């Protein structure tokens, strides 16, 4: 699989060199904050960004999210997620990608987790209001848990990304990926997220996100499932 993806990415680079590249950059930022005192004492905040750079046939995407929370004056949540991805499109329907992602979440049992991804994608649906992209490939995970134990796990990775446009600025999007460990067998991770975007003004939108992260074999003493609900502007 890795060799096939490398060949496809090289072909995309050659095609890019032979034709003028179309360049376009977009950037968006997310911010959410909640503070409650009195009978409850809770403070939460989340910030995020997404930068996309189009250089035909390449699309480069950088993402970042940080969630922080305090309950009765003590830290109760701290999660950092960073990602960088490069997609190459060949004929509009088929492409390839490579990506790297970093996550830190001590409340889920790990100090650091690096995912290195490589695969092929298929744009199964390309309609005016609906799009569906299917990914297939592999991922190498390097993780250090809060007990100091380190793991290096090769895994497969099927994934889907569906988006429906209600209008130019209102949308529904669902992403899901399954990461089964191919080394030991039986262990897998499942990540999914649903996001709804509604415009408030020309330059501002309300975003509501539901995310579920499941780990069939979490570090000792930690649960299998994390759920995150976020509302942002």
């Amino acid at each position: 699989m890795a060799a096939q993806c490398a060949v496809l990415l090289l072909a995309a680079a050659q095609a890019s060199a032979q034709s003028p590249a179309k360049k376009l950059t977009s950037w968006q930022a997310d911010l959410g904050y909640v503070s409650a005192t009195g009978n409850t004492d809770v403070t939460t905040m989340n910030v995020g960004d997404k930068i996309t750079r189009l250089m035909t046939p390449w699309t480069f995407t950088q993402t970042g999210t940080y969630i922080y929370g305090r309950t009765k004056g003590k830290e109760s949540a701290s999660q950092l997620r960073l990602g960088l991805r490069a997609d190459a499109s060949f004929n509009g329907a088929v492409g390839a990608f490579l990506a790297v992602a970093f996550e830190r979440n001590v409340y889920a049992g790990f100090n650091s987790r690096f995912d290195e991804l490589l695969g092929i994608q298929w744009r199964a649906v390309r309609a005016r209001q609906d799009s569906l992209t299917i990914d297939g490939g592999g991922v190498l995970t390097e993780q250090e848990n809060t007990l100091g134990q380190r793991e290096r796990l090769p895994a497969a990775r099927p994934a889907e990304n569906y988006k429906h446009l209600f209008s130019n600025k209102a949308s529904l999007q669902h992403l899901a990926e399954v990461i089964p460990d191919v080394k030991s067998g039986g262990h897998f991770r499942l990540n999914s997220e649903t996001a709804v975007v509604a415009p408030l003004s020309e330059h501002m939108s309300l975003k509501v996100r539901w995310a579920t992260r499941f780990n069939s074999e979490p570090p000792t003493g930690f649960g299998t499932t994390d759920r995150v609900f976020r509302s942002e502007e």
Side-chain angles (χ1 to χ4, degrees):
M1 178 64 73
Q4 294 173 346
C5 291
V7 171
L8 290 174
L9 289 171
L10 179 59
Q14 293 173 340
S16 177
Q18 295 171 0
S19 60
K22 179 180 179 182
K23 298 181 180 181
L24 179 65
T25 301
S26 63
W27 178 77
Q28 68 180 50
D30 302 321
L31 175 64
Y33 179 80
V34 175
S35 179
T37 59
N39 291 317
T40 59
D41 184 358
V42 177
T43 301
T44 62
M45 66 167 290
N46 58 271
V47 295
D49 81 303
K50 180 178 181 180
I51 301 174
T52 303
R53 174 71 168 173
L54 173 63
M55 299 178 64
T56 309
W58 295 91
T59 301
F60 300 94
T61 306
Q62 180 272 321
T63 57
T65 303
Y66 180 62
I67 300 173
Y68 178 80
R70 297 180 69 87
T71 303
K72 295 183 178 180
K74 295 183 179 181
E75 182 181 272
S76 56
S78 179
Q79 179 181 350
L80 175 65
R81 294 172 61 88
L82 301 171
L84 183 63
R85 175 164 168 152
D87 293 87
S89 177
F90 308 124
N91 61 6
V94 178
F97 67 90
L98 57 88
V100 60
F102 170 81
E103 183 175 1
R104 172 182 171 85
N105 188 353
V106 296
Y107 296 96
F110 56 92
N111 293 320
S112 65
R113 175 188 288 158
F114 288 93
D115 286 330
E116 302 167 38
L117 306 95
L118 183 66
I120 298 174
Q121 61 183 199
W122 172 43
R123 295 174 178 84
V125 177
R126 294 179 292 162
R128 180 180 177 184
Q129 292 181 289
D130 297 277
S131 63
L132 174 64
T133 302
I134 306 296
D135 286 356
V139 55
L140 177 64
T141 299
E142 298 179 81
Q143 177 176 303
E144 179 184 344
N145 64 29
T146 52
L147 299 177
Q149 298 171 329
R150 296 188 177 185
E151 295 181 298
R152 185 180 175 90
L153 304 172
R157 181 186 172 272
E160 61 87 15
N161 182 349
Y162 169 75
K163 187 172 184 178
H164 173 76
L165 295 177
F166 298 102
S167 67
N168 290 336
K169 296 183 179 180
S171 63
L172 168 69
Q173 186 171 16
H174 178 74
L175 304 92
E177 63 177 1
V178 181
I179 304 177
D181 180 5
V182 298
K183 184 176 181 180
S184 59
H187 170 227
F188 70 95
R189 287 187 285 143
L190 171 63
N191 299 316
S192 69
E193 180 175 307
T194 301
V196 177
V197 179
L200 298 177
S201 67
E202 183 178 355
H203 302 290
M204 184 175 293
S205 299
L206 174 64
K207 301 177 183 179
V208 179
R209 304 174 188 266
W210 300 267
T212 300
R213 312 196 186 284
F214 176 83
N215 186 346
S216 66
E217 294 184 11
T220 303
F222 292 89
T224 60
T225 307
D226 286 318
R227 298 180 180 88
V228 179
F229 174 83
R230 302 177 356 233
S231 60
E232 309 161 334
E233 292 185 4

